């Protein structure tokens, strides 16, 4: 009789989709239903103080369901994908050791892929002196720099994202170019659920959420972040809400222009997220109202094998 392998893969659920689609609400429902804990995969929610603008779940909204990878970084410093990968992996292991189900939830596709696909990221430490110089440059200047250093990476990268551009330049300067990611065998058995409202509904959700965040004090939040030492340039680098509100507070936009341009930018961002996730044919897509269907999918998936497993193959 063949002996069972101690390297049985860790069962993890990933809830993905565009911004404002209802991912966080679904993750919370599933965590309560299946004895789970949530690991955020959002590139802005890792930062302390970026609460309203990033849509970070509140303690009250968590309803005693533990959430991880929130408020782990100083907003004045860049938090890299490799840092996220290492920290989030530890939380996944911690959750499973408690006999609970890890639920990854977020819209930052690069974070999710780095965590779940076994991607090996280049071990290049942050270069503080270089970052001080790069943070002063515009997005177009950063893109041109990267294009000269590594045309291949420049072709693939999100040229609107200064954080990604700075990190890519940092790696290219250290290694000569940005190496292609080394995909290792993943230790995870992942069920991917994508939340996808119809376009008309998603646009309504985006507008309603934006107006709600403004009522909740999003402008004051950005003002306080700047007052506490986060530069305008750094706030703008966070994109979307933080970029447009920062521009408004610097009198570069009227309030009406800020709201209108921000709503358009969020919709464009949602479309880019969908483009990213549509490449992954393993994602099972549902609408926000199909909670019963989603629960059924998960029950069937979990019934294949119990999700308690061994850890001898995991390193500290």
């Amino acid at each position: 009789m063949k002996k069972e392998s101690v390297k049985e893969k860790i069962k993890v659920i990933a809830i993905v989709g565009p911004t404002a689609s209802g991912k966080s609400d679904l993750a919370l429902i599933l965590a309560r239903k299946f004895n789970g804990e949530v690991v955020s995969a959002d590139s802005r929610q890792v930062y302390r103080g970026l609460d309203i603008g990033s849509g970070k779940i509140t303690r009250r909204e968590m309803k005693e369901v533990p959430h991880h990878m929130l408020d782990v970084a100083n907003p004045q410093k860049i938090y890299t994908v490799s840092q996220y990968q290492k920290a989030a992996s530890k939380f996944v292991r911690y959750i499973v050791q408690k006999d609970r189900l890890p639920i990854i939830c977020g819209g930052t596709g690069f974070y999710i892929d780095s965590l779940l696909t076994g991607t090996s990221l280049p071990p290049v430490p942050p270069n503080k002196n270089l970052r001080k110089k790069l943070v002063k440059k515009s997005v177009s200047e950063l893109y041109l720099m990267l294009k000269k250093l590594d045309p291949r990476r420049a072709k693939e990268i999100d040229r609107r994202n200064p954080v990604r551009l700075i990190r890519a330049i940092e790696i290219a300067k250290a290694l000569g170019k940005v190496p292609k990611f080394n995909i290792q065998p993943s230790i995870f058995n992942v069920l991917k659920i994508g939340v996808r409202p119809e376009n008309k509904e998603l646009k309504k959700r985006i507008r309603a959420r934006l107006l709600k965040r403004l009522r909740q004090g999003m402008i004051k939040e950005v003002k306080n972040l700047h007052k506490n030492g986060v530069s305008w340039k750094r706030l703008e680098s966070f994109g979307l809400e933080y970029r447009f509100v920062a521009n408004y507070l610097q009198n570069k936009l009227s309030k009406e222009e800020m709201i209108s341009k921000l709503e358009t930018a969020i919709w464009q961002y949602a479309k880019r997220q969908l483009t990213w996730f549509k490449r992954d044919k393993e994602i099972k897509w549902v609408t926000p109202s199909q909670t019963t269907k989603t629960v059924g999918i998960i029950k069937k998936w979990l019934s294949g094998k119990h999700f308690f497993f061994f850890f001898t193959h995991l390193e500290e």
Side-chain angles (χ1 to χ4, degrees):
M1 184 175 176
K2 191 175 180 180
K3 189 176 179 180
E4 185 178 1
S5 171
V6 296
K7 294 188 177 181
E8 185 172 343
K9 291 189 174 184
I10 300 171
K11 282 197 170 183
V12 175
I13 293 173
I15 307 297
V16 306
T19 187
S21 60
K23 298 183 298 296
S24 297
D25 291 341
L26 178 59
L28 187 61
I29 291 170
L30 297 177
R32 292 171 68 84
K33 180 78 175 177
F34 294 103
N35 190 34
E37 297 188 14
V38 179
V39 178
S40 172
D42 187 292
S43 61
R44 299 190 302 174
Q45 292 183 5
V46 294
Y47 293 106
R48 292 183 289 274
L50 274 66
D51 302 327
I52 300 172
S54 72
K56 194 179 296 175
I57 190 169
T58 65
R59 292 282 180 187
R60 183 178 179 182
E61 290 168 338
M62 288 179 191
K63 298 177 181 176
E64 298 183 352
V65 171
H67 282 62
H68 309 282
M69 293 308 297
L70 302 173
D71 301 322
V72 297
N74 182 339
Q76 293 174 283
K77 299 179 180 179
I78 292 175
Y79 191 78
T80 67
V81 177
S82 58
Q83 286 176 294
Y84 172 84
Q85 183 190 52
K86 185 176 181 180
S89 295
K90 287 182 178 180
F91 275 118
V92 170
R93 181 178 60 185
Y94 167 72
I95 292 166
V96 177
Q97 286 174 333
K98 296 193 294 178
D99 291 341
R100 306 194 76 176
L101 179 65
I103 299 174
I104 314 301
C105 177
T108 304
F110 198 22
Y111 271 27
I112 294 165
D113 286 355
S114 73
L115 174 61
L116 298 179
T117 61
T119 303
S120 178
L121 300 170
V124 176
N127 185 329
K128 292 182 180 180
N129 291 332
L130 178 60
R131 288 184 179 186
K132 283 180 182 178
K133 295 176 183 177
L134 295 179
V135 78
K136 296 175 183 177
K137 296 184 180 295
S138 67
V139 173
S140 58
E141 287 173 328
L142 291 171
Y143 179 74
L144 289 174
M145 280 185 68
L146 179 61
K147 193 174 181 180
K148 287 181 181 179
L149 289 165
D150 190 340
R152 180 195 62 79
R153 182 64 181 125
K155 189 176 180 181
E156 298 171 347
I157 203 167
D158 179 0
R159 63 175 67 190
R160 302 177 187 85
N161 191 320
V163 175
R164 298 273 185 273
L165 289 166
I166 288 172
R167 180 58 178 162
I169 291 169
E170 189 173 54
I171 294 170
K173 281 187 172 288
L175 303 180
K177 65 177 182 178
V178 181
K180 287 190 176 182
F181 300 122
N182 183 19
I183 306 297
Q184 302 291 337
S186 175
I187 63 171
F188 299 116
N189 174 9
V190 187
L191 172 63
K192 299 174 185 176
I193 304 290
V195 186
R196 172 67 163 97
E198 294 295 327
N199 285 350
K200 188 175 180 181
E201 182 188 349
L202 184 56
K203 285 182 177 180
K204 284 182 179 179
R205 283 171 167 263
I206 286 170
R207 179 165 180 79
R209 192 185 66 175
L210 172 56
L211 296 177
K212 180 182 178 182
R213 289 181 180 180
L214 287 167
R215 290 194 301 270
Q216 289 175 325
M218 184 168 69
I219 293 173
K220 186 178 179 181
E221 175 176 280
V222 177
K223 192 181 293 185
N224 286 338
L225 283 164
H226 180 64
K227 185 179 178 181
N228 290 327
V230 184
S231 69
W232 292 126
K233 191 81 173 179
R234 179 62 175 146
L235 285 164
E236 290 171 17
S237 77
F238 292 126
L240 297 177
E241 291 86 352
Y242 295 96
R243 176 159 65 92
F244 284 93
V245 174
N247 284 336
Y248 163 67
L249 291 172
Q250 295 172 86
N251 298 315
K252 295 178 181 179
L253 294 172
S254 69
K255 190 170 185 178
E256 292 73 22
E257 287 175 321
M258 175 194 74
I259 295 171
S260 175
K261 289 179 180 291
L262 178 51
E263 186 176 351
T264 300
I266 295 171
W267 169 241
Q268 291 171 342
Y269 173 63
K271 289 194 292 184
R272 293 198 299 275
Q273 288 177 299
L274 282 169
T275 298
W276 178 286
F277 290 122
K278 280 179 180 177
R279 300 177 310 167
D280 190 341
K281 303 306 178 184
E282 294 180 355
I283 296 175
K284 299 181 185 298
W285 292 96
V286 298
T287 65
S289 62
Q290 291 179 315
T291 305
T292 302
K293 177 183 176 181
T294 306
V295 168
I297 291 170
I298 294 171
K299 281 183 176 179
K300 186 176 179 181
W301 178 71
L302 288 175
S303 67
K305 273 193 177 182
H306 208 279
F307 59 87
F308 301 160
F309 26 73
F310 303 97
F311 282 89
T312 57
H313 64 298
L314 295 178
E315 296 180 359
E316 288 294 336

